[in-house]
Amino acid sequence: EFMHLKFYSKKKKNKKPKKKSPEGNAESSGVEKEEEKMEKSEPGAAAFPPTFSVSEIKNKQRRHLMFMKFKQEKRKQKMQLKKKKKKEREALGDKAPPKEVPKTIENQRVFDETMVDPEDEEVAFDEATDEFSAYFNGLTNPKVLITTSDRPRGRTVRFCEQLATVIPNAHVYYRRGLALKRVIPQCVARNFTYLMVINEDRKMPNGMVLCHLPDGPTAHFKISSVRLRKEMKRRGKDPTEHSPEVILNNFSTRLGHSIGRLFAALFPQDPQFVGRQVATFHNQRDFIFFRFHRYIFKNEKKVGIQELGPRFTLKLRSLQKGTFDSKFGEYEWVLKVSNFSLRRQKSCDKETN
Amino acid sequence: MADRSRLCTVWLGSETGILKGVSVTRKQAFNFCNTSHLSRDQEVRALCWGDPAESEVLVGSVDGTVKTFSTEKGQFTDSRRCGGPADGGFTGLALCGAALVTCGECGTLRVWREDSSEPALELSAGNNVCRMRQSPVHRDRVATGGKDNGLKIWDLQKPDAPLFTAKNLRDDWLDLRRPHWVRDLAFIPDSDKVVTCTGYHQVHVFDPSSPQRRPVLEVEYGEYPLTALSLPAGGSTVVVGNTHGQIALLDLRKGVVRGCLKGLAGGVRGLQCHPTLPVVASCGLDRFLRIHSLEDRTLLHKVYLKSRLNCVLLASRDLEDGRGAAGEGGSQEVKEEEEGGEDEVWDTMERVEEKPKRKTTEEEEEELQKKKKSKKKRKKGQD
């Protein structure tokens, strides 16, 4: 009850006790009598010493109130400035200078020099002879092995099962604590083309290692926002056995090209689509969003889509040349926080300008 | 073609078989290719200067051919078959007088004379050789090292046995044999010592003149294999790069990391320090050439080259210099003392011009950076 009263007194009489403390240092004035006037004037104006700052008040409630007042003053000044500018603008009428464009993250982005020019011969040759050339020339069909880290929990297991329905010719195997370096030669012997390992942490899938098999690059991703089929709203029926089409958006830098090809080679190539299912990998600001839909053309211009299947977002952490060898392998690209800046966010994305 | 190749101060070999020349002042890269169509077995594995005047570049490819590229003419002038694809790629190319010394991954070190297509000398340096380098002081001494294959220094006049074979490190506290993998090595100038970097993130210094065959100094850096090594002018520091893209400056007197060069995002494949300027060029799997300054560890230049790069070669002349006059005769590995008489010419001619140029560009850059910093600082609250 005592505390309650104290609080009331502070609110109504508005800093009568507070002003005593700074005033102790400053030159004395008849402050107690002139409280009401002092309240209306600026806080930093009259009696505070110039080096006074709100943070020096030790009492939390008083400090908070002083700070609120300070912010209100600032807001008031800002509104006044705005009004003034608006008046000036209206006064000038047509002669007013054009409105300034605010700086946004998208505005400030630096053009990425590794953007691939579609007619570049060197890059075309590089891609024609890289590890995916066998797939893109139609010589191999994808066969994917999906597994997890050891002892997966229910959510990860269901995620893997759903992934296996999305990716045709995918087989889910239980990990049994086997070492990946020993699993890989066995997969190669059984003609698998991809090894996908979903890593689990605290009963949620949080990482993915995607290794292209004969001797191909290994990509390590961070998975976030996984939504399984049960959690999706307004979803369609379960996906069928048809191979989905693949849409890759915004993989336009050189690194983006490599990752895009990595995803494309997961699915069989068939120019005559049979089913109406489509898997989309959309890259934006270095995050890759995966969605799986079924579409139907209602007429020439209208399409209806239903989302089926899981959705998740990926972020590339490292791309390693060669099959999985985190200790002695050579990395083609590593996510480094020291290289990151919002202005140069560039790894796979295209410059939106 | 010829004028473009004369502008280039940095030469790089790529995985697609293209020799790239970069002119740092103009920030332009030029591709020089032998054949009209590219192929992966032309992948460049080793580069070295063909003559002391640095007018020819020797390019060693995976399929065993060594091509000569003339920087004056801007085209490939010669091609020799030195071994086959079964040898693995070249791990080292060196020029010893008029003879060419090559070493492949399988370990056979061969010396080729100008005229014949058979090697004049052939010796086996073990299996899995990762690097072969030539001593800048004694031109007929070469050193080799590889996976489970220790450092061996050979004298080409006496090819029967190596001059110096390094011993592996002492067994560890469990009495197990320490694994050993020499990835890159270099001869320290002004002395007999050799510095090597290993795949187990160690840097060793060996001294053949001392009776100790084990490394004299050992420094560890990082957790990833060190793939490239280079010695700046000065002799007490070494620059190493690893597969994760981290480049570090290590001090050899104390065995301590001096600092790291930031920016590389992929594994380092080639590192080279400039013989006179405190500058280091790095290239790697992220398809960029980066030139860092060694004094303040800042990035000076960055050029995007579209293929993965395997090796880099710096011209001894000034990097900023657009039109190169005749070379000073320095070799690419280490600063050479052969500059002698031409120093006066250089002093009078070019240095006077360049100092103000470089100063102004550096000053301008500093000013720009300061301006940017002051703009960025926005004070939100009063203090």
Side-chain angles (χ1 to χ4, degrees), chain A residues 50-53 70 74 103 112-116 120-123 125-127 129-131 254 258 318 321 326-336 338-339 343-344 346, chain B residues 15-16 18 20 31 38-40 181 183 199-200 223-225 227 243-246 262-269 285-288 302 304 306-308 376 380-383:
Chain A
T51 52
F52 173 71
S53 88
F70 172 68
K74 257 197 123 182
K103 286 189 201 173
D112 190 355
E113 48 199 339
T114 57
M115 286 291 178
V116 177
D120 197 334
E121 291 175 352
E122 193 177 337
V123 174
F125 168 72
D126 205 4
E127 297 194 337
T129 51
D130 71 357
E131 296 103 348
R254 187 66 189 85
S258 314
S318 68
K321 185 172 174 193
S326 57
K327 261 172 91 175
F328 299 111
E330 280 188 312
Y331 286 88
E332 222 183 285
W333 187 84
V334 176
L335 175 71
K336 284 192 180 169
S338 57
N339 282 351
R343 280 178 44 218
R344 305 201 89 243
K346 68 179 180 85
Chain B
E15 276 193 4
T16 45
I18 303 177
K20 290 177 187 274
N31 286 353
L38 312 160
S39 66
R40 283 272 161 164
W181 185 6
R183 288 295 288 257
Y200 300 104
E223 313 153 343
Y224 296 98
T227 48
T243 55
H244 225 59
Q246 296 158 342
K262 291 202 300 188
L264 228 68
V268 179
R269 279 270 177 98
L285 292 175
D286 62 345
R287 303 160 217 262
F288 272 94
K302 185 169 94 157
Y304 175 59
K306 300 165 202 148
S307 322
R308 294 185 203 132
K376 276 185 185 173
K380 281 189 178 174
Q382 283 179 353
D383 260 330

Side-chain angles (χ1 to χ4, degrees), chain A residues 146 154-168 170 172 196 226-232 235 238-240 290 292 308-312:
Chain A
I146 305 182
R155 199 174 162 85
T156 314
V157 170
R158 274 176 278 143
F159 181 55
C160 290
E161 287 167 16
Q162 294 183 7
L163 271 182
T165 56
V166 164
I167 303 174
V172 180
M196 190 190 285
V226 176
R227 302 278 173 263
L228 302 177
R229 275 196 199 121
K230 265 187 2 177
E231 299 155 14
M232 316 231 358
R235 68 176 166 100
D238 283 338
T240 56
F290 173 82
F292 193 66
L308 346 157
R311 63 156 80 157
F312 52 92

Side-chain angles (χ1 to χ4, degrees), chain A residues 120-342:
Chain A
D120 197 334
E121 291 175 352
E122 193 177 337
V123 174
F125 168 72
D126 205 4
E127 297 194 337
T129 51
D130 71 357
E131 296 103 348
F132 299 107
S133 55
Y135 166 80
F136 282 102
N137 293 334
L139 298 169
T140 53
N141 275 328
K143 188 173 173 194
V144 183
L145 176 73
I146 305 182
T147 182
T148 63
S149 54
D150 201 19
R151 298 193 49 104
R153 296 324 228 171
R155 199 174 162 85
T156 314
V157 170
R158 274 176 278 143
F159 181 55
C160 290
E161 287 167 16
Q162 294 183 7
L163 271 182
T165 56
V166 164
I167 303 174
N169 203 4
H171 307 263
V172 180
Y173 279 85
Y174 181 56
R175 178 79 179 269
R176 292 189 91 199
L178 302 167
L180 281 182
K181 281 199 202 169
R182 297 218 186 120
V183 167
I184 286 176
Q186 294 193 15
C187 286
V188 174
R190 279 155 225 228
N191 285 330
F192 277 95
T193 56
Y194 263 99
L195 174 67
M196 190 190 285
V197 183
I198 310 285
N199 187 58
E200 184 194 354
D201 185 45
R202 286 188 163 217
K203 307 180 192 173
M204 306 272 285
N206 75 343
M208 173 158 96
V209 171
L210 191 56
C211 181
H212 184 80
L213 274 182
D215 48 350
T218 310
H220 177 38
F221 295 96
K222 176 172 84 155
I223 300 183
S224 45
S225 308
V226 176
R227 302 278 173 263
L228 302 177
R229 275 196 199 121
K230 265 187 2 177
E231 299 155 14
M232 316 231 358
K233 297 183 179 176
R234 293 181 287 275
R235 68 176 166 100
K237 292 186 185 166
D238 283 338
T240 56
E241 292 291 321
H242 303 113
S243 316
E245 299 172 39
V246 182
I247 295 182
L248 297 164
N249 277 341
N250 278 349
F251 286 92
S252 39
T253 60
R254 187 66 189 85
L255 178 66
H257 261 239
S258 314
I259 303 291
R261 284 160 73 83
L262 194 75
F263 287 131
L266 272 173
F267 298 90
Q269 265 186 339
D270 187 14
Q272 323 292 333
F273 314 130
V274 180
R276 287 178 280 116
Q277 293 175 145
V278 56
T280 312
F281 292 89
H282 176 87
N283 177 12
Q284 187 159 334
R285 294 267 219 94
D286 295 354
F287 284 91
I288 302 171
F289 301 93
F290 173 82
R291 302 285 182 268
F292 193 66
H293 295 276
R294 182 179 285 133
Y295 63 87
I296 180 160
F297 277 102
K298 294 178 192 164
N299 55 26
E300 282 273 325
K301 297 191 182 173
K302 272 195 180 179
V303 190
I305 51 172
Q306 285 179 332
E307 185 159 6
L308 346 157
R311 63 156 80 157
F312 52 92
T313 47
L314 297 168
K315 185 165 185 185
L316 181 69
R317 278 172 67 173
S318 68
L319 179 63
Q320 185 212 325
K321 185 172 174 193
T323 55
F324 180 75
D325 189 351
S326 57
K327 261 172 91 175
F328 299 111
E330 280 188 312
Y331 286 88
E332 222 183 285
W333 187 84
V334 176
L335 175 71
K336 284 192 180 169
V337 181
S338 57
N339 282 351
F340 177 80
S341 86
L342 282 174

